[in-house]
Amino acid sequence: MTWASIDLNADLGEGFGRWTLTDDDALLSVVTSANVACGFHAGDAVTMRRVCERAAARGVRIGAQVSYRDLAGFGRRSMDVPADELAAEIAYQIGALEVFARAAGSRVSYVKPHGALYNRVVRDEEQARAVVEGVLLGGGDERLPVLGLPGSRLHEAAGKAGLPVVTEAFGDRAYTADGSLLPRGREGAVVTDPAEVVERSLSMARFGVVTSHCGRSVAVRARSLCLHGDTPGAVGLARRVRAQLEAAGVRVEAFV
């Protein structure tokens, strides 16, 4: 499936105290949705407030990027968190971000897991259900959309719970033949060549396919395209991808 329009999202607010990782202001001038770190893998109250204010001022949708409680490992270490504890921590992160989003005149518009949790809920049904329970709890009366990989257990559980699901693709990550992301520990997991990132992004947005790590074509049905904020040259790359999408006739706009 291809789309006449596509959302561009990036992970933002991934700093802590005096330490910063992403160029939030510059990326907010390019993306249409901001996945804001909620304090568990990165982010703090001041950073969350600042990103929400600047996203709201630019009309960029605010999403809660929820994760395992893993500041030291940047949320990229898999953890066996009990389901009830994980659900509560997901709700906690959404609620924390909602305070700052509302103060900025906006709302949390969707939820996206981060790092190890994102990959875990592709196949782990119990963890996926726990994340969905947390989204339901944290969203209250709002049925918050859940952003994730097509065909994941997360989307299956979200759909059963009546939450909207939004399919996502990655212009700067390598895929396996089954459509999952190549683990970051593997060589070539992160695509760093700008021309290749642009080409892959256009292919997924226009034709719904991407070449996997082993050379096979893989169907990728994406309504939103992610460009990681911590990729080298992330801002210039994001601008280039957006410009090429628009030049190809693909409308870049938020999915909510």
Side-chain angles (χ1 to χ4, degrees):
M1 180 183 296
T2 57
W3 306 88
S5 66
I6 197 163
D7 171 68
L8 281 184
N9 77 76
D11 304 340
L12 302 180
E14 291 185 326
F16 193 83
R18 296 177 63 184
W19 177 77
T20 59
L21 178 63
T22 51
D23 189 343
D24 297 331
D25 287 342
L27 285 167
L28 283 169
S29 70
V30 182
V31 300
T32 47
S33 295
N35 317 317
V36 184
C38 298
F40 273 38
H41 74 280
D44 56 35
V46 173
T47 303
M48 291 162 67
R49 181 180 183 182
R50 183 179 66 247
V51 175
C52 284
E53 287 174 346
R54 294 177 183 178
R58 292 182 176 272
V60 175
R61 300 297 185 268
I62 296 169
Q65 188 167 40
V66 297
S67 73
Y68 291 125
R69 188 189 292 270
D70 181 27
L71 274 175
F74 197 62
R76 287 179 175 163
R77 300 182 292 191
S78 188
M79 296 182 170
D80 293 321
V81 181
D84 59 342
E85 182 178 333
L86 180 58
E89 292 191 339
I90 297 302
Y92 180 94
Q93 293 175 77
I94 296 169
L97 188 64
E98 177 70 3
V99 168
F100 299 118
R102 283 197 180 206
S106 185
R107 297 291 301 274
V108 170
S109 296
Y110 65 95
V111 178
K112 174 184 172 178
H114 165 81
L117 182 59
Y118 186 99
N119 292 317
R120 181 77 173 263
V121 296
V122 171
R123 295 187 175 88
D124 190 317
E125 185 175 353
E126 181 181 30
Q127 296 264 290
R129 289 201 307 266
V131 170
V132 169
E133 182 183 343
V135 174
L136 290 169
L137 181 61
D141 293 335
E142 295 290 326
R143 311 298 283 184
L144 293 175
V146 178
L147 188 59
L149 279 187
S152 63
R153 293 291 190 184
L154 175 65
H155 274 183
E156 181 181 313
K160 288 179 180 178
L163 295 175
V165 297
V166 182
T167 53
E168 180 178 36
F170 294 81
D172 53 9
R173 288 294 311 278
Y175 281 80
T176 66
D178 67 0
S180 60
L181 298 177
L182 189 69
R184 278 186 174 267
R186 296 274 300 277
E187 183 179 355
V190 179
V191 182
T192 57
D193 177 50
E196 186 177 357
V197 174
V198 171
E199 179 185 354
R200 293 164 69 85
S201 299
L202 283 170
S203 178
M204 288 185 285
R206 297 181 66 196
F207 309 116
V209 296
V210 70
T211 301
S212 71
H213 187 64
C214 63
R216 298 180 183 175
S217 291
V218 178
V220 179
R221 307 178 307 280
R223 179 63 186 87
S224 184
L225 181 67
C226 178
L227 296 170
H228 285 95
D230 61 343
T231 298
V235 175
L237 185 58
R239 287 174 177 155
R240 185 171 170 180
V241 168
R242 177 162 185 162
Q244 291 298 313
L245 287 169
E246 291 176 335
V250 179
R251 194 167 61 252
V252 178
E253 61 182 11
F255 59 82
V256 288

